[in-house]
Amino acid sequence: MPDSGGSRAQRAHIPTSGTGPGTDADLRTGPGADGDPTVPHGDAGALAVDPAAPQATAPAGLPEAPVLPKAPGAPGLAGPAAKAARRTGLLVTLVLGGLTALPPLSMDMYLPALPAVTDSLSAPAATIQLTLTACLAGMALGQLVVGPMSDRWGRRKPLLLGMVVYVLATAICALAPTAELLIGFRLLQGLAGAAGIVIARAVVRDLYDGVEMARFFSTLMLISGVAPIIAPLIGGQVLRVTDWRGIFVVLTGVGIALTLVVWKWLHETLPPADRHTGGVTDALRTMRGLLADRVFTGYMIAGGLAFAVLFAYISASPFVVQEIYGASPQTFSLLFGLNSIGLIAVGQINGKLLVGRFSLDKVLGFGLAVIVLAAVALLLMTTGVFGEAGLVPVAAGLFVLMSAMGLAMPNTNAQALMRTKHAAGSASALLGTSSFLIGAIASPLVGIAGEDTAVPMAVVQVVCAVAAVACFLLLCRPWQRAGREAGGL
């Protein structure tokens, strides 16, 4: 059985500024899921162990973790120490939330400007959509590099380097004179921005186990989910006073501020004793071991396909809402923000009410089923089965689809990372890379029939959603693990 959730930093006595929820918990002795002699409780009212969660054991080909000794007489924190720990945990939560918010900021502030960029650079819509694809592909490939780097040299240095390059690339995007140069600089922006994505997940894996990790991912969704709400609104307002280049100027300022925050407040979470010392060969061997784990691969691909459904909406919705249904950039921004509110709300229901009361696999399966139903409804509306659908029913379908992502995204990440305790950077890189690469493939397909139809968007969403369910059922096989748990195996 996996841990019931608690701070890995506390158990391992990691000297970090981030301890997060569960830091002031009392300790109990007894064998844990991973053989550790000490397993901490979470906060008061911590949720129960997920009965269907996979055991946190290293797949074949990965190094086994050292058993961490319990500090003699280690007490729970109390009084001023507990308050300081909670303040520190909140600070690290905000920093990690900022890092995970950077990708939606980079994407969504730019969305209301896509038609304007098309006119400004005299390029077809399909070419301008490649600026999204390039950024997405850069984030995917960059994670393959940064993830293993963070396992070898720690989380802090690769993160700071990536943030500095991100700031420079974003500033250059504001000056790009042609669509081709903008695509190239967006690729560089994505490569550098990958550091924040992959290392934020790795830091969470450094600090948390089990159900508590799923809860923390839901908390990050609350923080980072603010970005999709405010980003299109900010982008729409920026377009009222300047052109699309001003959006990249604003993003440059955000990148500078986040870099300074990381430099000052995010301490190292991976102790030197836990770092990998091998080179490229060792990193490839680690990733091969991760991919050899069928269940990890199943969660990885299912999460990537669900992300492709989301990104098909992100890349197509500016044209669908504005060009097909005649909405203004400000109306599009408001609708996009409403959908993001749905995703945040469901993510919080997942973390606060569902996790611990139901198995993560059951919640994940329900979320994927809702995504399939919403995608099919959108396909029927866009093909005219119900007659000529207006903006309101299409927007309602998109709202349901986006909201269901709050059940799928945090739980696929948590279930996959629970199987990879000691290669969190590499595992996070594979999770992110698969999601962004699949999303990058889906992005240009939504515009393949031009700007006058939303059918390609709906087709891509249905295909990816059904494929995600198939991967979840065929590779993860949650009923088998639930049966073994019920039989006491």
Side-chain angles (χ1 to χ4, degrees), residues 108-110 112-113 230-240 247 333:
D108 300 342
M109 279 185 63
Y110 179 63
I230 65 173
L233 297 175
I234 295 174
Q237 296 306 312
V238 169
L239 291 177
R240 296 173 69 94
I247 293 176
S333 300

Side-chain angles (χ1 to χ4, degrees), residues 4-60:
S4 61
S7 170
R8 287 170 52 83
Q10 179 187 7
R11 184 174 71 237
H13 310 293
I14 297 175
T16 172
S17 65
T19 51
T23 305
D24 52 345
D26 295 331
L27 298 179
R28 65 174 173 86
T29 57
D34 50 11
D36 289 350
T38 305
V39 181
H41 287 297
D43 295 327
L47 299 178
V49 177
D50 175 14
Q55 295 187 11
T57 54

Side-chain angles (χ1 to χ4, degrees), residues 286-297:
T286 298
M287 289 186 176
R288 185 171 63 248
L290 290 168
L291 294 175
D293 180 6
R294 170 180 52 79
V295 178
F296 170 85
T297 302

